[in-house]
Amino acid sequence: MDKNVGSRDGVDCYEKAADIIKHFNEDCNKEFPLKQGEVYAKIAQSETGETAVVIVDQFMRRVHECVAQSGEMGLIDATASLDRNDSKLIRIICPSSIGGLPLAEIVVTREDTATLVFALELLKTVLPINAFFGRGPQLGPVLFMTDDCDAERLALSQVWPNAV
């Protein structure tokens, strides 16, 4: 298993994930080319050693561009206990007449405020310039809806201070 996906933790695990993301970006760019310097996904490690992966694929980019509700409301929630390392999957979606539509996917190694701020700032570098129905990655949607996770709410208020 180590040969295919790297070890459970450590440098080779991060390098394997970075390689997978590099190939993901290359494959997506073949079918749906982005402007120079843009990518569909990124991985980075914070100063404290926490890892974040952010993904905004072609479908999510179209939702940002074409669905007005993406500029109005982002719903965010994390799911934990997905693997042996307890990585967290955070989905950001927007409401629509056909149900929730995806805006971004984030995977983090911890769900504390500092790690979430790091991940959300990384996400802003992957979002298209017309994210959130033209409001842009820096402004974000008008409001976010979360569960009762203080870390999420604090991180969102730091990264997108104008959002309710």
Side-chain angles (χ1 to χ4, degrees), residues 12-31:
D12 64 325
C13 179
Y14 181 87
E15 289 173 350
K16 183 65 176 177
D19 190 51
I20 290 168
I21 289 169
K22 177 183 173 225
H23 290 296
F24 174 79
N25 282 317
E26 290 170 354
D27 290 345
C28 290
N29 245 335
K30 286 177 187 172
E31 193 168 348

Side-chain angles (χ1 to χ4, degrees), residues 36-144:
Q36 184 69 29
E38 292 182 347
V39 293
Y40 288 100
K42 280 188 181 178
I43 185 171
Q45 202 164 38
S46 71
E47 291 179 6
T48 60
E50 301 303 330
T51 301
V53 175
V54 296
I55 303 165
V56 181
D57 65 18
Q58 182 61 22
F59 181 74
M60 295 173 195
R61 289 171 176 273
R62 295 282 292 155
V63 173
H64 277 280
E65 178 184 342
C66 299
V67 179
Q69 292 91 330
S70 70
E72 297 167 3
M73 179 187 294
L75 298 101
I76 185 169
D77 194 26
T79 302
S81 302
L82 298 174
D83 60 15
R84 292 180 289 173
N85 293 334
D86 195 30
S87 299
K88 284 73 171 142
L89 171 65
I90 300 166
R91 302 184 104 184
I92 302 176
I93 64 173
C94 71
S96 78
S97 59
I98 61 167
L101 294 174
L103 297 174
E105 302 277 341
I106 304 169
V107 179
V108 291
T109 50
R110 282 188 67 175
E111 194 180 1
D112 64 334
T113 302
T115 303
L116 293 177
V117 167
F118 176 77
L120 292 170
E121 289 292 349
L122 183 64
L123 174 63
K124 286 166 61 173
T125 70
V126 174
L127 287 168
I129 193 72
N130 60 351
F132 304 110
F133 202 64
R135 291 173 56 86
Q138 298 305 318
L139 191 55
V142 174
L143 66 93
F144 279 101

